[in-house]
Amino acid sequence: MHKTSALTLLASTSLIPSTLAAYALVESYDPTNFFSKFHFWDKKDPTNGFVQYKPLRSAAESGLIAIDTKSGTVPAIYIGVDHSTKDPAGRASVRISSKKSYNYGLFIFDIEHSPGGICGTWPAFWMLSDGGKWPEGGEIDIFEGANDDRHNKMTLHTTPGCTIQKMSGFSGKVDTPNCDVNAQGQGKNMGCGIKHPMVKNQETFGQGMNKGGGGVWVTSWTSSQISVYHFHRSLVPADINAGKPDPTKWGMPVAKFSEGCAIDKYFKNLNIIFNIAFCGDWAGGAWTQSKACSAKAPTCQQYVQNNPQAFKDAYWMIRSVKVYQEDAGNQKQTQKMKMVGREIQN
């Protein structure tokens, strides 16, 4: 007969969660070092956007990037776009990718202002594998939308075999369940997506969100799940502000991808990316789906080319991006406690 002792319960429920909640800061991208820790993409946009991504020197000289010490309450990283010229080759912008790649962790994005909600734009911060042919190694879209969207969409892009099977345990709404970019019954390259609902009548994407001072997004990535949390500025947990993040205290995530996807098989060596695209496969392809946007011009490209002033507010203001990983000592202790629990049960 199987018996569970008090010591077993202690090992399995008391000690293990306390060790799992301990994370150590391994990287801080902030105003003191931000641009030195990213590569600048200056090639053709792989999503067919009407955009010219500028290298570091050109972006700095033209004012597309800067460290802002005056606008907000704390210094922040500014990443914007050209909003004064009509260039038939595409609007000048920035796409950057972290020099370091990661496997597992808590990725905390403190965003004061985002470029979202403007017709013609397609901004995102996301994570992408640094090797192989896309989508090998996986892609995690943490914050993304197009044109006048008001709801953030979180998406995974993979090769065949990864799906959303559990439709509970998160507050968002599943839009597409299959992460395979070539899945039948879904649009090409859509992946598995979860839309973020309104939070206390506050928008989760676009200018409405910016009016509240932005907020914090956290991606939790372990061997068994990928989850996304979002906190409006006034609701950021004290443990995050204190530099001691503890996901066990945050409640339900907005999105969670777990059952139906072998995380370690599909996601590895991911870089952090920020970009602001224009038109392209999504914003351009969905142009006529927005009455407000399509009323401005027949096509996305025509609007973006001829209305530079419309993109003055298409910029990121980033306070920091911090990467935490489970403390090595706690990892060993966790494994030890699991082994103790198994030995006691046997």
Side-chain angles (χ1 to χ4, degrees):
M1 181 173 64
H2 180 80
K3 296 182 179 179
T4 303
S5 69
L7 186 55
T8 303
L9 291 174
L10 179 64
S12 63
T13 63
S14 297
L15 294 178
I16 292 177
S18 66
T19 58
L20 287 175
Y23 286 87
L25 179 67
V26 298
E27 195 74 49
S28 177
Y29 300 86
D30 57 59
T32 68
N33 59 27
F34 192 86
F35 295 117
S36 67
K37 293 189 174 186
F38 283 88
H39 293 297
F40 280 67
W41 177 282
D42 58 359
K43 304 174 185 177
K44 177 179 172 61
D45 178 35
T47 60
N48 304 304
F50 184 66
V51 60
Q52 298 181 69
Y53 289 124
K54 298 299 183 179
L56 172 59
R57 181 179 294 275
S58 176
E61 290 177 348
S62 57
L64 300 184
I65 62 171
I67 302 301
D68 188 297
T69 59
K70 298 180 181 179
S71 298
T73 57
V74 298
I77 300 99
Y78 171 88
I79 301 174
V81 304
D82 171 72
H83 52 84
S84 61
T85 61
K86 298 179 180 181
D87 193 330
R91 189 151 301 286
S93 183
V94 174
R95 170 174 165 163
I96 56 175
S97 176
S98 63
K99 294 178 179 178
K100 286 189 177 181
S101 61
Y102 300 93
N103 290 286
Y104 307 154
L106 285 178
F107 302 84
I108 302 181
F109 300 80
D110 190 336
I111 310 297
E112 189 173 302
H113 184 281
S114 76
I118 301 172
C119 291
T121 60
W122 176 4
F125 57 82
W126 45 302
M127 300 181 71
L128 179 68
S129 181
D130 63 3
K133 182 180 179 181
W134 186 85
E136 294 174 3
E139 175 180 329
I140 306 171
D141 296 330
I142 305 162
F143 181 92
E144 185 180 31
N147 296 320
D148 55 353
D149 278 347
R150 292 294 179 263
H151 299 273
N152 180 35
K153 186 175 181 182
M154 299 142 288
T155 308
L156 304 186
H157 297 275
T158 69
T159 52
C162 179
T163 62
I164 301 175
Q165 291 187 0
K166 188 176 182 180
M167 302 292 176
S168 60
F170 52 89
S171 61
K173 181 181 180 181
V174 174
D175 191 34
T176 49
N178 199 325
C179 309
D180 176 12
V181 297
N182 294 309
Q184 294 184 354
Q186 297 182 178
K188 186 174 177 59
N189 298 336
M190 289 193 70
C192 53
I194 298 176
K195 285 189 175 181
H196 192 167
M198 289 278 194
V199 179
K200 295 183 178 180
N201 295 320
Q202 290 183 298
E203 296 172 352
T204 58
F205 190 88
Q207 300 308 303
M209 186 203 70
N210 290 331
K211 291 178 181 179
V216 169
W217 286 258
V218 183
T219 296
S220 169
W221 171 19
T222 69
S223 62
S224 61
Q225 59 81 45
I226 295 172
S227 298
V228 178
Y229 298 83
H230 171 239
F231 308 101
H232 281 281
R233 180 63 59 196
S234 62
L235 300 173
V236 178
D239 56 273
I240 290 180
N241 289 329
K244 298 179 180 179
D246 184 357
T248 65
K249 299 179 179 179
W250 298 345
M252 187 179 294
V254 178
K256 186 172 184 178
F257 307 88
S258 54
E259 297 180 20
C261 187
I263 300 298
D264 285 351
K265 177 180 178 181
Y266 292 98
F267 297 91
K268 61 186 66 176
N269 303 325
L270 301 188
N271 299 93
I272 299 166
I273 299 177
F274 282 87
N275 75 293
I276 307 172
F278 294 97
C279 303
D281 296 340
W282 188 356
W287 184 253
T288 58
Q289 296 175 20
S290 168
K291 292 182 179 180
C293 293
S294 59
K296 296 177 182 294
T299 68
C300 180
Q301 182 170 325
Q302 286 177 300
Y303 181 70
V304 172
Q305 178 180 340
N306 296 317
N307 296 276
Q309 71 285 350
F311 305 104
K312 183 177 181 180
D313 288 333
Y315 65 88
W316 297 106
M317 196 68 82
I318 306 162
R319 292 187 178 184
S320 67
V321 177
K322 295 184 178 181
V323 181
Y324 292 82
Q325 292 180 332
E326 190 178 345
D327 182 78
N330 283 284
Q331 288 178 339
K332 292 179 180 179
Q333 183 70 5
T334 298
Q335 293 302 318
K336 181 178 179 181
M337 297 315 305
K338 288 181 178 179
M339 290 177 66
V340 170
R342 286 196 294 269
E343 289 173 359
I344 293 172
Q345 287 181 329
N346 293 334

PDB file of all heavy atoms in Angstrom, residues 261-285:
ATOM      1  N   CYS A 261       3.118  20.848 -26.072  1.00  0.00           N
ATOM      2  CA  CYS A 261       4.360  21.321 -26.685  1.00  0.00           C
ATOM      3  C   CYS A 261       5.546  20.920 -25.817  1.00  0.00           C
ATOM      4  O   CYS A 261       5.616  21.298 -24.637  1.00  0.00           O
ATOM      5  CB  CYS A 261       4.332  22.835 -26.861  1.00  0.00           C
ATOM      6  SG  CYS A 261       5.739  23.471 -27.800  1.00  0.00           S
ATOM      7  N   ALA A 262       6.466  20.154 -26.380  1.00  0.00           N
ATOM      8  CA  ALA A 262       7.705  19.794 -25.689  1.00  0.00           C
ATOM      9  C   ALA A 262       8.658  20.982 -25.805  1.00  0.00           C
ATOM     10  O   ALA A 262       9.365  21.138 -26.807  1.00  0.00           O
ATOM     11  CB  ALA A 262       8.312  18.541 -26.301  1.00  0.00           C
ATOM     12  N   ILE A 263       8.659  21.828 -24.795  1.00  0.00           N
ATOM     13  CA  ILE A 263       9.363  23.110 -24.861  1.00  0.00           C
ATOM     14  C   ILE A 263      10.828  22.954 -25.261  1.00  0.00           C
ATOM     15  O   ILE A 263      11.333  23.669 -26.137  1.00  0.00           O
ATOM     16  CB  ILE A 263       9.258  23.849 -23.515  1.00  0.00           C
ATOM     17  CG1 ILE A 263       7.784  24.122 -23.157  1.00  0.00           C
ATOM     18  CG2 ILE A 263      10.043  25.165 -23.564  1.00  0.00           C
ATOM     19  CD1 ILE A 263       7.043  24.994 -24.122  1.00  0.00           C
ATOM     20  N   ASP A 264      11.531  22.016 -24.641  1.00  0.00           N
ATOM     21  CA  ASP A 264      12.962  21.858 -24.929  1.00  0.00           C
ATOM     22  C   ASP A 264      13.238  21.437 -26.367  1.00  0.00           C
ATOM     23  O   ASP A 264      14.314  21.702 -26.903  1.00  0.00           O
ATOM     24  CB  ASP A 264      13.579  20.840 -23.969  1.00  0.00           C
ATOM     25  CG  ASP A 264      13.777  21.404 -22.573  1.00  0.00           C
ATOM     26  OD1 ASP A 264      13.595  22.626 -22.398  1.00  0.00           O
ATOM     27  OD2 ASP A 264      14.110  20.631 -21.659  1.00  0.00           O
ATOM     28  N   LYS A 265      12.275  20.782 -26.981  1.00  0.00           N
ATOM     29  CA  LYS A 265      12.445  20.339 -28.365  1.00  0.00           C
ATOM     30  C   LYS A 265      12.324  21.502 -29.341  1.00  0.00           C
ATOM     31  O   LYS A 265      13.015  21.528 -30.371  1.00  0.00           O
ATOM     32  CB  LYS A 265      11.403  19.272 -28.695  1.00  0.00           C
ATOM     33  CG  LYS A 265      11.453  18.787 -30.139  1.00  0.00           C
ATOM     34  CD  LYS A 265      10.376  17.732 -30.400  1.00  0.00           C
ATOM     35  CE  LYS A 265      10.389  17.265 -31.856  1.00  0.00           C
ATOM     36  NZ  LYS A 265       9.330  16.258 -32.125  1.00  0.00           N
ATOM     37  N   TYR A 266      11.480  22.466 -29.004  1.00  0.00           N
ATOM     38  CA  TYR A 266      11.145  23.504 -29.977  1.00  0.00           C
ATOM     39  C   TYR A 266      11.790  24.867 -29.711  1.00  0.00           C
ATOM     40  O   TYR A 266      11.775  25.730 -30.606  1.00  0.00           O
ATOM     41  CB  TYR A 266       9.627  23.677 -30.040  1.00  0.00           C
ATOM     42  CG  TYR A 266       8.926  22.483 -30.625  1.00  0.00           C
ATOM     43  CD1 TYR A 266       8.349  21.515 -29.816  1.00  0.00           C
ATOM     44  CD2 TYR A 266       8.861  22.305 -32.004  1.00  0.00           C
ATOM     45  CE1 TYR A 266       7.709  20.407 -30.351  1.00  0.00           C
ATOM     46  CE2 TYR A 266       8.228  21.199 -32.565  1.00  0.00           C
ATOM     47  CZ  TYR A 266       7.653  20.245 -31.725  1.00  0.00           C
ATOM     48  OH  TYR A 266       7.041  19.153 -32.270  1.00  0.00           O
ATOM     49  N   PHE A 267      12.348  25.083 -28.508  1.00  0.00           N
ATOM     50  CA  PHE A 267      12.886  26.406 -28.178  1.00  0.00           C
ATOM     51  C   PHE A 267      14.290  26.304 -27.595  1.00  0.00           C
ATOM     52  O   PHE A 267      14.501  25.608 -26.599  1.00  0.00           O
ATOM     53  CB  PHE A 267      11.954  27.136 -27.195  1.00  0.00           C
ATOM     54  CG  PHE A 267      10.595  27.403 -27.767  1.00  0.00           C
ATOM     55  CD1 PHE A 267       9.566  26.479 -27.602  1.00  0.00           C
ATOM     56  CD2 PHE A 267      10.350  28.552 -28.507  1.00  0.00           C
ATOM     57  CE1 PHE A 267       8.313  26.701 -28.152  1.00  0.00           C
ATOM     58  CE2 PHE A 267       9.104  28.778 -29.063  1.00  0.00           C
ATOM     59  CZ  PHE A 267       8.086  27.856 -28.888  1.00  0.00           C
ATOM     60  N   LYS A 268      15.226  27.012 -28.207  1.00  0.00           N
ATOM     61  CA  LYS A 268      16.597  27.008 -27.711  1.00  0.00           C
ATOM     62  C   LYS A 268      17.367  28.203 -28.269  1.00  0.00           C
ATOM     63  O   LYS A 268      17.107  28.685 -29.368  1.00  0.00           O
ATOM     64  CB  LYS A 268      17.309  25.710 -28.078  1.00  0.00           C
ATOM     65  CG  LYS A 268      17.436  25.431 -29.573  1.00  0.00           C
ATOM     66  CD  LYS A 268      18.033  24.058 -29.854  1.00  0.00           C
ATOM     67  CE  LYS A 268      17.117  22.956 -29.408  1.00  0.00           C
ATOM     68  NZ  LYS A 268      17.641  21.608 -29.771  1.00  0.00           N
ATOM     69  N   ASN A 269      18.287  28.708 -27.459  1.00  0.00           N
ATOM     70  CA  ASN A 269      19.213  29.772 -27.873  1.00  0.00           C
ATOM     71  C   ASN A 269      18.482  30.973 -28.471  1.00  0.00           C
ATOM     72  O   ASN A 269      18.664  31.329 -29.633  1.00  0.00           O
ATOM     73  CB  ASN A 269      20.246  29.239 -28.873  1.00  0.00           C
ATOM     74  CG  ASN A 269      21.036  28.075 -28.331  1.00  0.00           C
ATOM     75  OD1 ASN A 269      21.349  28.015 -27.142  1.00  0.00           O
ATOM     76  ND2 ASN A 269      21.385  27.130 -29.198  1.00  0.00           N
ATOM     77  N   LEU A 270      17.653  31.617 -27.643  1.00  0.00           N
ATOM     78  CA  LEU A 270      16.838  32.736 -28.125  1.00  0.00           C
ATOM     79  C   LEU A 270      17.474  34.086 -27.799  1.00  0.00           C
ATOM     80  O   LEU A 270      17.977  34.311 -26.699  1.00  0.00           O
ATOM     81  CB  LEU A 270      15.438  32.676 -27.522  1.00  0.00           C
ATOM     82  CG  LEU A 270      14.613  31.416 -27.791  1.00  0.00           C
ATOM     83  CD1 LEU A 270      13.190  31.614 -27.285  1.00  0.00           C
ATOM     84  CD2 LEU A 270      14.603  31.046 -29.259  1.00  0.00           C
ATOM     85  N   ASN A 271      17.435  34.980 -28.781  1.00  0.00           N
ATOM     86  CA  ASN A 271      17.885  36.361 -28.609  1.00  0.00           C
ATOM     87  C   ASN A 271      16.684  37.272 -28.386  1.00  0.00           C
ATOM     88  O   ASN A 271      15.581  36.999 -28.866  1.00  0.00           O
ATOM     89  CB  ASN A 271      18.642  36.843 -29.840  1.00  0.00           C
ATOM     90  CG  ASN A 271      19.888  36.031 -30.121  1.00  0.00           C
ATOM     91  OD1 ASN A 271      19.843  35.084 -30.876  1.00  0.00           O
ATOM     92  ND2 ASN A 271      20.993  36.400 -29.516  1.00  0.00           N
ATOM     93  N   ILE A 272      16.897  38.370 -27.671  1.00  0.00           N
ATOM     94  CA  ILE A 272      15.862  39.381 -27.436  1.00  0.00           C
ATOM     95  C   ILE A 272      15.883  40.385 -28.587  1.00  0.00           C
ATOM     96  O   ILE A 272      16.945  40.894 -28.957  1.00  0.00           O
ATOM     97  CB  ILE A 272      16.113  40.104 -26.107  1.00  0.00           C
ATOM     98  CG1 ILE A 272      16.062  39.117 -24.942  1.00  0.00           C
ATOM     99  CG2 ILE A 272      15.119  41.243 -25.903  1.00  0.00           C
ATOM    100  CD1 ILE A 272      16.615  39.681 -23.645  1.00  0.00           C
ATOM    101  N   ILE A 273      14.716  40.689 -29.129  1.00  0.00           N
ATOM    102  CA  ILE A 273      14.627  41.592 -30.282  1.00  0.00           C
ATOM    103  C   ILE A 273      13.585  42.682 -30.040  1.00  0.00           C
ATOM    104  O   ILE A 273      12.518  42.418 -29.497  1.00  0.00           O
ATOM    105  CB  ILE A 273      14.254  40.812 -31.563  1.00  0.00           C
ATOM    106  CG1 ILE A 273      15.333  39.770 -31.886  1.00  0.00           C
ATOM    107  CG2 ILE A 273      14.062  41.765 -32.753  1.00  0.00           C
ATOM    108  CD1 ILE A 273      14.995  38.904 -33.093  1.00  0.00           C
ATOM    109  N   PHE A 274      13.936  43.901 -30.444  1.00  0.00           N
ATOM    110  CA  PHE A 274      12.982  45.012 -30.532  1.00  0.00           C
ATOM    111  C   PHE A 274      12.987  45.504 -31.972  1.00  0.00           C
ATOM    112  O   PHE A 274      14.058  45.620 -32.592  1.00  0.00           O
ATOM    113  CB  PHE A 274      13.392  46.186 -29.634  1.00  0.00           C
ATOM    114  CG  PHE A 274      13.103  46.012 -28.178  1.00  0.00           C
ATOM    115  CD1 PHE A 274      14.013  45.371 -27.353  1.00  0.00           C
ATOM    116  CD2 PHE A 274      11.935  46.511 -27.622  1.00  0.00           C
ATOM    117  CE1 PHE A 274      13.758  45.219 -26.000  1.00  0.00           C
ATOM    118  CE2 PHE A 274      11.672  46.377 -26.266  1.00  0.00           C
ATOM    119  CZ  PHE A 274      12.585  45.725 -25.450  1.00  0.00           C
ATOM    120  N   ASN A 275      11.820  45.823 -32.505  1.00  0.00           N
ATOM    121  CA  ASN A 275      11.791  46.446 -33.831  1.00  0.00           C
ATOM    122  C   ASN A 275      10.486  47.219 -34.027  1.00  0.00           C
ATOM    123  O   ASN A 275       9.511  47.034 -33.293  1.00  0.00           O
ATOM    124  CB  ASN A 275      11.959  45.403 -34.940  1.00  0.00           C
ATOM    125  CG  ASN A 275      10.724  44.561 -35.171  1.00  0.00           C
ATOM    126  OD1 ASN A 275      10.338  43.778 -34.313  1.00  0.00           O
ATOM    127  ND2 ASN A 275      10.101  44.725 -36.334  1.00  0.00           N
ATOM    128  N   ILE A 276      10.516  48.097 -35.015  1.00  0.00           N
ATOM    129  CA  ILE A 276       9.315  48.799 -35.469  1.00  0.00           C
ATOM    130  C   ILE A 276       9.272  48.646 -36.985  1.00  0.00           C
ATOM    131  O   ILE A 276      10.076  49.254 -37.695  1.00  0.00           O
ATOM    132  CB  ILE A 276       9.328  50.293 -35.100  1.00  0.00           C
ATOM    133  CG1 ILE A 276       9.592  50.489 -33.611  1.00  0.00           C
ATOM    134  CG2 ILE A 276       7.994  50.940 -35.491  1.00  0.00           C
ATOM    135  CD1 ILE A 276       9.820  51.946 -33.214  1.00  0.00           C
ATOM    136  N   ALA A 277       8.383  47.806 -37.462  1.00  0.00           N
ATOM    137  CA  ALA A 277       8.223  47.597 -38.899  1.00  0.00           C
ATOM    138  C   ALA A 277       7.025  48.394 -39.408  1.00  0.00           C
ATOM    139  O   ALA A 277       6.188  48.868 -38.622  1.00  0.00           O
ATOM    140  CB  ALA A 277       8.034  46.110 -39.202  1.00  0.00           C
ATOM    141  N   PHE A 278       6.962  48.513 -40.721  1.00  0.00           N
ATOM    142  CA  PHE A 278       5.826  49.174 -41.365  1.00  0.00           C
ATOM    143  C   PHE A 278       5.277  48.259 -42.456  1.00  0.00           C
ATOM    144  O   PHE A 278       6.029  47.641 -43.211  1.00  0.00           O
ATOM    145  CB  PHE A 278       6.245  50.505 -41.991  1.00  0.00           C
ATOM    146  CG  PHE A 278       6.678  51.537 -40.993  1.00  0.00           C
ATOM    147  CD1 PHE A 278       8.024  51.725 -40.706  1.00  0.00           C
ATOM    148  CD2 PHE A 278       5.744  52.316 -40.320  1.00  0.00           C
ATOM    149  CE1 PHE A 278       8.428  52.665 -39.783  1.00  0.00           C
ATOM    150  CE2 PHE A 278       6.138  53.256 -39.389  1.00  0.00           C
ATOM    151  CZ  PHE A 278       7.484  53.431 -39.117  1.00  0.00           C
ATOM    152  N   CYS A 279       3.944  48.208 -42.519  1.00  0.00           N
ATOM    153  CA  CYS A 279       3.247  47.429 -43.553  1.00  0.00           C
ATOM    154  C   CYS A 279       3.700  45.982 -43.516  1.00  0.00           C
ATOM    155  O   CYS A 279       3.617  45.341 -42.481  1.00  0.00           O
ATOM    156  CB  CYS A 279       3.448  48.089 -44.923  1.00  0.00           C
ATOM    157  SG  CYS A 279       2.883  49.814 -44.950  1.00  0.00           S
ATOM    158  N   GLY A 280       4.190  45.429 -44.613  1.00  0.00           N
ATOM    159  CA  GLY A 280       4.665  44.062 -44.595  1.00  0.00           C
ATOM    160  C   GLY A 280       3.541  43.035 -44.532  1.00  0.00           C
ATOM    161  O   GLY A 280       2.367  43.335 -44.770  1.00  0.00           O
ATOM    162  N   ASP A 281       3.931  41.804 -44.183  1.00  0.00           N
ATOM    163  CA  ASP A 281       2.998  40.687 -44.229  1.00  0.00           C
ATOM    164  C   ASP A 281       1.770  40.891 -43.343  1.00  0.00           C
ATOM    165  O   ASP A 281       0.663  40.493 -43.717  1.00  0.00           O
ATOM    166  CB  ASP A 281       3.712  39.396 -43.823  1.00  0.00           C
ATOM    167  CG  ASP A 281       4.818  39.021 -44.790  1.00  0.00           C
ATOM    168  OD1 ASP A 281       4.804  39.514 -45.942  1.00  0.00           O
ATOM    169  OD2 ASP A 281       5.713  38.245 -44.400  1.00  0.00           O
ATOM    170  N   TRP A 282       1.974  41.484 -42.160  1.00  0.00           N
ATOM    171  CA  TRP A 282       0.833  41.647 -41.258  1.00  0.00           C
ATOM    172  C   TRP A 282       0.139  42.998 -41.449  1.00  0.00           C
ATOM    173  O   TRP A 282      -1.022  43.062 -41.877  1.00  0.00           O
ATOM    174  CB  TRP A 282       1.260  41.468 -39.794  1.00  0.00           C
ATOM    175  CG  TRP A 282       0.093  41.435 -38.835  1.00  0.00           C
ATOM    176  CD1 TRP A 282      -1.231  41.615 -39.133  1.00  0.00           C
ATOM    177  CD2 TRP A 282       0.143  41.199 -37.434  1.00  0.00           C
ATOM    178  NE1 TRP A 282      -2.006  41.522 -38.005  1.00  0.00           N
ATOM    179  CE2 TRP A 282      -1.191  41.263 -36.944  1.00  0.00           C
ATOM    180  CE3 TRP A 282       1.178  40.945 -36.534  1.00  0.00           C
ATOM    181  CZ2 TRP A 282      -1.497  41.085 -35.593  1.00  0.00           C
ATOM    182  CZ3 TRP A 282       0.866  40.759 -35.189  1.00  0.00           C
ATOM    183  CH2 TRP A 282      -0.460  40.823 -34.732  1.00  0.00           C
ATOM    184  N   ALA A 283       0.827  44.085 -41.128  1.00  0.00           N
ATOM    185  CA  ALA A 283       0.163  45.402 -41.195  1.00  0.00           C
ATOM    186  C   ALA A 283      -0.303  45.731 -42.606  1.00  0.00           C
ATOM    187  O   ALA A 283      -1.365  46.334 -42.797  1.00  0.00           O
ATOM    188  CB  ALA A 283       1.116  46.481 -40.672  1.00  0.00           C
ATOM    189  N   GLY A 284       0.494  45.349 -43.597  1.00  0.00           N
ATOM    190  CA  GLY A 284       0.078  45.582 -44.977  1.00  0.00           C
ATOM    191  C   GLY A 284      -1.029  44.641 -45.404  1.00  0.00           C
ATOM    192  O   GLY A 284      -2.003  45.050 -46.033  1.00  0.00           O
ATOM    193  N   GLY A 285      -0.884  43.371 -45.018  1.00  0.00           N
ATOM    194  CA  GLY A 285      -1.886  42.384 -45.389  1.00  0.00           C
ATOM    195  C   GLY A 285      -3.241  42.611 -44.753  1.00  0.00           C
ATOM    196  O   GLY A 285      -4.279  42.258 -45.316  1.00  0.00           O
TER     197      GLY A 285
END
